[in-house]
Amino acid sequence: MGTRKRMIVAITGASGVNYGIKFLEVLKNLGLETHLILSNAGKKIISIEGRLSVSEVEKLASYTYHEDDIGSALASGSFIVDSMVVVPCSMGTLSAIAHDFENNLITRAAGCVLKQGKKLVLVPRETPLSIIQLENMVKVAKSGAIILPAMPAFYPQPKTIKDLEDFICGKILDLLGIDHQLYKRWEGENKKI
Ligand SMILES: Cc1cc2nc3c(=O)[nH]c(=O)nc-3n(C[C@H](O)[C@H](O)[C@H](O)COP(=O)(O)O)c2cc1C
């Protein structure tokens, strides 16, 4: 696999699939090797609110998989990856990961990433949140996953939906240690830096 970063990206059936689409576009521009898993519900939400079609989204990744493709390399801990990002992450997928349910390729791959001690970033989109959902977030965070809610900030003065997408994708890249200029960082009131 060389020195190129290899990443698993999953898009599940939460609102906000355009965050996942934007993230794939950014990774493609960076030349990273991406393995995309779309859940069936993720495909449905892409057809409802996505700015690209499912086949256009699949073309953004180096490799694509269906959620039931459990025989693929990603289903094994022997598949070496740097990180996995689920963006957006539905409450259903969050729950399955929290309980290590491993009922499809997304939750199996997430289980492998966690057991191999690699970085797992989940971008949930739901509001309001039940106690069960909050507890599931605590559970996965205790297991090493990072919860990055799809909650864009407003200090960079966003003007467009693209600005909101860029902010969330930039925050994910920050966690993965990948340089970017997707959003304007807060430099302090007097801009001393
Ligand atoms: C239009 C629409 C929007 C939805 N938005 C959300 C959402 O924002 N968050 C969420 O957790 N589930 C949402 N759901 C429900 C999930 O799609 C559903 O629970 C699904 O089973 C999740 O499957 P998955 O985790 O395998 O992708 C939405 C469903 C529809 C049809």
Side-chain angles (χ1 to χ4, degrees):
M1 81 182 253
T3 54
R4 274 212 311 169
K5 279 197 185 287
R6 184 193 253 180
M7 201 182 298
I8 300 174
V9 178
I11 295 180
T12 65
S15 187
V17 290
N18 285 331
Y19 288 123
I21 292 172
K22 176 73 200 193
F23 190 57
L24 286 169
E25 288 170 339
V26 169
L27 297 182
K28 187 172 183 182
N29 286 337
L30 290 170
L32 300 191
E33 181 181 315
T34 50
H35 295 256
L36 170 67
I37 318 170
L38 293 177
S39 75
N40 292 335
K43 288 182 191 175
K44 164 74 79 185
I45 308 299
I46 288 172
S47 72
I48 294 171
E49 63 177 38
R51 59 180 163 77
L52 297 181
S53 68
V54 169
S55 60
E56 286 169 331
V57 174
E58 287 178 332
K59 283 192 198 116
L60 293 172
S62 317
Y63 304 89
T64 60
Y65 308 81
H66 299 290
E67 67 165 41
D68 55 0
D69 198 358
I70 206 69
S72 79
L74 277 57
S76 170
S78 63
F79 183 75
I80 304 292
V81 284
D82 297 287
S83 54
M84 175 168 176
V85 178
V86 185
V87 52
C89 182
S90 73
M91 293 300 101
T93 293
L94 167 74
S95 174
I97 295 172
H99 296 272
D100 202 22
F101 194 36
E102 306 204 357
N103 57 323
N104 64 28
L105 185 61
I106 295 172
T107 53
R108 168 60 188 168
C112 289
V113 167
L114 284 179
K115 81 183 171 77
Q116 299 300 127
K118 295 294 164 70
K119 205 163 260 187
L120 175 65
V121 180
L122 307 181
V123 184
R125 209 263 22 129
E126 187 55 276
T127 194
L129 291 162
S130 70
I131 299 281
I132 295 171
Q133 293 161 341
L134 290 166
E135 284 181 348
N136 284 338
M137 289 187 201
V138 171
K139 208 166 164 50
V140 290
K142 280 183 175 167
S143 300
I146 299 175
I147 298 286
L148 191 159
M151 288 181 185
F154 290 82
Y155 58 82
Q157 306 277 329
K159 304 280 184 300
T160 63
I161 289 175
K162 178 184 170 297
D163 292 339
L164 303 177
E165 293 171 10
D166 283 354
F167 181 83
I168 293 300
C169 292
K171 293 296 268 187
I172 301 171
L173 293 180
D174 287 348
L175 287 177
L176 302 177
I178 298 173
D179 287 342
H180 68 86
Q181 307 241 310
L182 286 170
Y183 70 89
K184 194 165 170 354
R185 294 176 193 282
W186 178 246
E187 295 170 341
E189 280 179 305
N190 301 321
K191 293 198 175 181
K192 286 187 181 143
I193 301 169

